Amino acid sequence: MAGGPSSEGIAAFFRPRNVALVGASDKSAWSQMVFARFGEYGHQGQLFAVNRGGTEAHGLPGYRSVADIPAEVDTAFIFVPAAAVTGALQEAAAAGVKNAVVLSSGFAEAGAEGAELQAELAAAAAEAGVLLLGPNSLGFANFADARFCTSIRSRLPVRTGHLGIVSQSGAIGNELMKWAHAQCIGLSFLCATGNEAQLGIADVAEYLVDDPATRAIALYVEGISDPARFMAALARAQAARIPVVVLKIGRSEVSGAVVQAHTGSLVGDDRMFDAMCRRFGVSRASSIEELITTAHFLGQIGPINPPRVAMASVSGGACGMYADLAAAHGLATPALATETQSALRAVLPGFAATLNPLDVTGVVLQNPAIWGEAIPILSRDPGIGLVAASTSLPNTPEELANQRGTYAAIAQGFRTSGKPCVLLSFSLQDCSPLQLEARQELGLDITLPGIELGVRALAHLQRWSECLLAAEPEPADVILAKQRPVTERPVTEREVLDHLANFGVPVIPAVLARDADEAVQAAGQFAGPVVLKIASPDIAHKTEAGGVALDLHGDDAVRSGYAGIIAAALAHSPAAKIDGVIVSPMRRGGAELIVGVARDPQWGPAIVVGLGGVFTEALDDSQVRLLPVSPDEALGMVQELRGARLLAGFRGAPPADMAALASAIAAIGDAALALGPGLAALEVNPLRVLGGEIECLDGLAVYAD
C-alpha cells in the first residue's frame, strides 16, 4: 500500500459494523471466545460465520465463503490455521472486504518459516488493497463507537471513558484493561497490534490523536518498526496537548562505527528512546499500574501552569512519605508564598507548620471544614498549579459514614479552588463500587491510588507541563539548514577542531608541526608549557598509542617529546599515516566534560553530555537528547548531571559560566548536524571548563563508511 494507509482508511477500519468470523465453529474454544466478546461488549452490527463446511456456528448462519454472505462485510476477523490465513484473506478481498484482523498465530513470532508466511500475508494484503491488523493480534475494542473485533476478555460493567490503549502484546493489553477496570477508569479504545505485518503502533497512535473521544494515550511498546511515523504521531499528540505515556521494553543499537568513540557506549540502547520521549513530551512508565494511572490522570487534568504541586494531608506520616518520594521521582515541593502561609495560619491550629507538603493536623477530624478553607488558599498561591489532598478512602459503609464530613469538605475545597485538584489516597487499592458511588456523589472524580503511584503520576504531570510550556522548537527550515552537509569531511583532530570553531565553538589554539624544529618553533608561540599530540587520521585514541606528551618545558623537552611520540605511534600502528604532531598550550585545572554526537539508526542524531575522564562511564553520569538542541536544552542537560556541582565552584574553583557552556554544547550539536547523515559520531573529549574559560581540547569524527 504505497505511502502507507490513509487516516480516513484507518478511521474506517476501527469502525466496522458487519464482521465475518472466518474460522467460526461451535467446536473451537477460540471461536466460542471470539463470538462471546461481541455480545459482552455490545457490538453494534451484524456477525456472519464463515467456515469450509458452511455450517451454522454460535447460532449464526454459516457460509463457505465471505462471497456467499448476502450483505456488505466491513471486516474479516480471521482465526484459521496459519497456513490457511493468506488464502482466507484473498477470498475476503475478492468479495470486496477492505479490512482484516488476523488472530491466528504461527507467523514471525514462530521462526523463519513463520516469517515467510507473514511476508506472504503482508504482500497479499498490499496487493489486494486490504488493511491488515496482525497476525497474532487479539484485535481491538472501540468503546467510544461500540464497534469491536477482539478476543480480549471484557470486564463488566463495560466502562466507556477517554483513555486509549495500544499494546504490542495481547496479554499485556488484557492486563492494562484489567487494571483500568479495577480503578474504575473508562476506555475509549483498546488495541493489541500483534506482529504488525502492516498496521503498527504508530498508525494506531496517530488514529487516537484524531479521535475526539480520546484525551490520553497509553502505549505498551516492544519495538518500533517505523520510527519516522511514530515520531510524527508523537509530535501531533504534543501539538494537540494529548498526553502520551509509554511502557517500553527492549533495546535499540547504535551503529557499529560509533564504537570508535566513547559516545557510542553512552548514547546507545534505551537512552536514545528516552531522549526521543523527552523531545516529544512523552512520559515513560515502568509498570502496568503506572502506565494506566498516569495516562488517565494526565488526560483528566491536562497541563498545569505553573507546573508545581502543593499537597495537604491529615497525616504527617503521609506528608513525609510524599516528600521522600517526590525527591526520588523529581517532583518539586516548592515553598509556599508568604501570603499563602499567612492565610493558612488564620485557619489552621497554632501548632501547625505551613510547609509544602502541608500537614493540616488531626484537628480536621473534629473540624473538617478546615479542608474547605485550606485547599482554596493553596490554590491561590502564585507558584502552585495543582493541589493534592491526601487522605484514606472508605472500604465499608461504616467508614464512609464516619468520614463523609471529611470528603464533603474536601469536595467543597475542590469546587471553590481556582486550579485543578486531585484526591490522593494513602494506599493502593481497587476502586470498589462503594468508593465509586461516593466519589461520583461528592464530585471527587479525579483520584490517584496510593502515594507511590500518585507521586509518580504527579511527577509526570510536572514534566509534561514543563515541556508544553517550553519555548517553541526551532522551525523546520532552520533544523534542515543545520543538517545541510558541508563539502569537506574533517578527519584529523585539528580539522575537527577547526570545523567546530567555524560554528562558534571555542577551541584550544594549536599548530601542526611536521618535524622537531617546527615543534620547537610552535611551542615558542605559547607562554608556558605545551602539550604534544600525534596527528594521524588512523589513530583515534592517542593516549593508548603513546601519542601524547604533557607539560613540556623548554626546547629540549619539546624535541625529545616529538621524537618519542612519533616512535611510539609507529610502534603502535606501523601502517598509520603520520601528519606530524599538534602543539598546544598546556591547560591546568577546571572540570572536564565529554560532549559527543552519535547517529542512531532508528532515532537519528543525538548529543550526549557527561563528566570527562573516568566519571562518565564509571559513574554512568551523562545526559542524552535528540538533535538539534537549544542552549536552554543544553543547560538542562548539564544541570541534570549528578556531578553538576563540580561546575558550581566546587572546593574553591570558580563557578562555570553556564550560559557560555550551554551555548558551546548547542554549537557542537549544530556542527555535527552540518556534517550530514554520513557522520556516525563526533566527539569532544575533553571540553575544559574553568569559570568563563571554555575550550575544546580534543576532537574526533567518525564516519559510517
Side-chain angles (χ1 to χ4, degrees):
M1 196 165 293
S6 68
S7 57
E8 296 82 5
I10 294 176
F13 182 94
F14 290 123
R15 295 187 179 97
R17 180 170 179 81
N18 297 340
V19 179
L21 308 182
V22 182
S25 170
D26 287 332
K27 297 178 181 179
S28 166
W30 273 106
S31 183
Q32 292 172 10
M33 179 176 60
V34 167
F35 173 72
R37 299 301 170 254
F38 286 91
E40 291 170 359
Y41 284 117
H43 177 73
Q44 301 297 306
Q46 291 182 279
L47 302 177
F48 308 97
V50 177
N51 52 61
R52 287 304 178 197
T55 57
E56 177 183 301
H58 317 306
L60 303 172
Y63 302 92
R64 292 181 180 275
S65 168
V66 176
D68 297 334
I69 297 174
E72 184 176 350
V73 174
D74 300 304
T75 297
F77 195 3
I78 301 172
F79 40 93
V80 297
V85 168
T86 298
L89 180 139
Q90 290 171 327
E91 284 187 10
V97 177
K98 295 299 182 184
N99 306 305
V101 176
V102 178
L103 172 64
S104 310
S105 58
F107 289 86
E109 82 284 359
E113 187 175 339
E116 274 189 43
L117 281 177
Q118 183 166 310
E120 292 173 8
L121 175 63
E127 183 179 354
V130 172
L131 275 184
L132 168 66
L133 179 65
N136 195 29
S137 165
L138 300 190
F140 64 87
N142 184 342
F143 296 93
D145 295 313
R147 304 295 173 87
F148 305 91
C149 194
T150 183
S151 64
I152 297 177
R153 178 173 173 265
S154 62
R155 300 301 190 280
L156 301 176
V158 174
R159 293 194 176 96
T160 301
H162 300 285
L163 174 61
I165 298 174
V166 191
S167 173
Q168 290 182 319
S169 162
I172 297 299
N174 179 67
E175 291 301 310
L176 292 170
M177 186 172 71
K178 185 192 296 184
W179 173 255
H181 195 270
Q183 294 303 310
C184 300
I185 294 172
L187 304 183
S188 61
F189 188 85
L190 170 68
C191 180
T193 58
N195 290 10
E196 300 188 356
Q198 190 187 88
L199 289 180
I201 198 166
D203 300 300
V204 186
E206 198 162 38
Y207 161 76
L208 290 178
V209 172
D210 293 327
D211 179 23
T214 299
R215 294 207 298 256
I217 301 170
L219 305 177
Y220 172 79
V221 176
E222 295 176 353
I224 302 297
S225 58
D226 190 344
R229 184 153 192 177
F230 187 68
M231 287 190 285
L234 297 181
R236 293 188 60 231
Q238 184 181 33
R241 300 164 75 88
I242 295 174
V244 179
V245 185
V246 175
L247 172 57
K248 182 185 181 296
I249 64 169
R251 304 254 179 200
S252 64
E253 295 180 359
V254 175
S255 169
V258 183
V259 300
Q260 294 184 47
H262 294 97
T263 306
S265 61
L266 300 175
V267 171
D269 60 54
D270 197 51
R271 305 190 70 190
M272 279 297 297
F273 187 83
D274 194 56
M276 185 277 300
C277 288
R278 280 177 174 267
R279 169 56 52 89
F280 297 107
V282 174
S283 301
R284 291 199 68 179
S286 57
S287 68
I288 286 171
E289 296 83 1
E290 183 183 0
L291 174 62
I292 295 301
T293 299
T294 300
H296 175 61
F297 173 62
L298 298 188
Q300 286 183 300
I301 290 288
I304 58 173
N305 186 15
R308 295 293 181 266
V309 176
M311 193 277 264
S313 177
V314 69
S315 165
C319 289
M321 285 191 289
Y322 177 94
D324 287 346
L325 288 165
H329 298 302
L331 174 62
T333 53
L336 300 173
T338 302
E339 297 80 2
T340 304
Q341 295 186 50
S342 297
L344 287 171
R345 290 190 190 100
V347 300
L348 295 176
F351 58 85
T354 53
L355 304 174
N356 180 24
L358 176 70
D359 181 1
V360 295
T361 78
V363 172
V364 298
L365 298 177
Q366 282 73 45
N367 184 13
I370 290 175
W371 278 113
E373 297 177 271
I375 290 171
I377 291 173
L378 291 172
S379 74
R380 289 194 293 270
D381 189 296
I384 298 300
L386 176 141
V387 178
S390 182
T391 188
S392 62
L393 291 179
N395 282 328
T396 66
E398 291 76 19
E399 287 181 349
L400 176 58
N402 291 335
Q403 299 179 62
R404 182 173 288 277
T406 293
Y407 303 133
I410 291 174
Q412 174 63 21
F414 285 5
R415 284 192 295 272
T416 55
S417 169
K419 292 174 183 172
C421 297
V422 60
L423 186 65
L424 177 61
S425 67
F426 286 161
S427 61
L428 179 60
Q429 53 188 271
D430 288 351
C431 172
S432 66
L434 175 73
Q435 283 185 15
L436 180 61
E437 182 180 351
R439 282 163 45 183
Q440 291 175 337
E441 176 190 338
L442 295 166
L444 296 171
D445 292 332
I446 304 180
T447 303
L448 287 171
I451 296 177
E452 165 72 30
L453 270 183
V455 167
R456 286 177 178 268
L458 289 168
H460 287 305
L461 173 65
Q462 173 185 290
R463 287 188 287 270
W464 178 56
S465 300
E466 288 171 342
C467 181
L468 293 182
L469 288 169
E472 288 293 319
E474 290 185 294
D477 58 338
V478 174
I479 294 174
L480 290 173
K482 290 179 178 180
Q483 298 188 59
R484 186 171 57 248
V486 294
T487 55
E488 70 280 353
R489 276 187 169 185
V491 176
T492 66
E493 174 191 340
R494 195 62 235 171
E495 289 172 349
V496 171
L497 292 180
D498 288 344
H499 173 72
L500 291 168
N502 290 335
F503 281 78
V505 182
V507 302
I508 191 168
V511 176
L512 176 64
R514 294 175 175 81
D515 57 38
D517 289 337
E518 287 187 3
V520 170
Q521 185 178 1
Q525 300 178 29
F526 306 117
V530 295
V531 175
L532 304 185
K533 292 186 287 186
I534 193 70
S536 169
D538 301 319
I539 300 176
H541 299 297
K542 304 173 184 64
T543 303
E544 296 172 7
V548 179
L550 304 174
D551 202 17
L552 301 179
H553 299 258
D555 295 353
D556 291 343
V558 172
R559 288 183 185 279
S560 176
Y562 184 96
I565 284 177
I566 296 294
L570 289 174
H572 181 271
S573 304
K577 178 179 182 294
I578 305 297
D579 295 329
V581 167
I582 294 173
V583 185
S584 295
M586 179 73 188
R587 300 303 194 203
R588 300 184 187 279
E592 292 186 351
L593 298 179
I594 178 174
V595 180
V597 171
R599 182 174 294 275
D600 182 88
Q602 279 195 308
W603 309 111
I607 189 167
V608 59
V609 175
L611 290 176
V614 301
F615 296 107
T616 301
E617 293 181 87
L619 302 181
D620 190 27
D621 189 15
S622 60
Q623 292 290 319
V624 181
R625 301 289 189 275
L626 293 190
L627 285 176
V629 294
S630 66
D632 284 345
E633 289 176 294
L635 178 61
M637 295 176 73
V638 175
Q639 291 173 333
E640 289 184 34
L641 292 172
R642 292 197 298 275
R645 60 183 301 194
L646 296 176
L647 301 170
F650 187 71
R651 292 195 173 180
D657 183 337
M658 298 297 280
L661 175 58
S663 294
I665 292 170
I668 291 171
D670 292 344
L673 286 177
L675 294 176
L679 179 75
L682 183 144
E683 184 172 283
V684 171
N685 186 18
L687 177 67
R688 176 176 172 269
V689 182
L690 180 64
E693 297 178 28
I694 298 168
E695 275 184 328
C696 299
L697 303 188
D698 198 351
L700 169 68
V702 180
Y703 298 91
D705 55 3

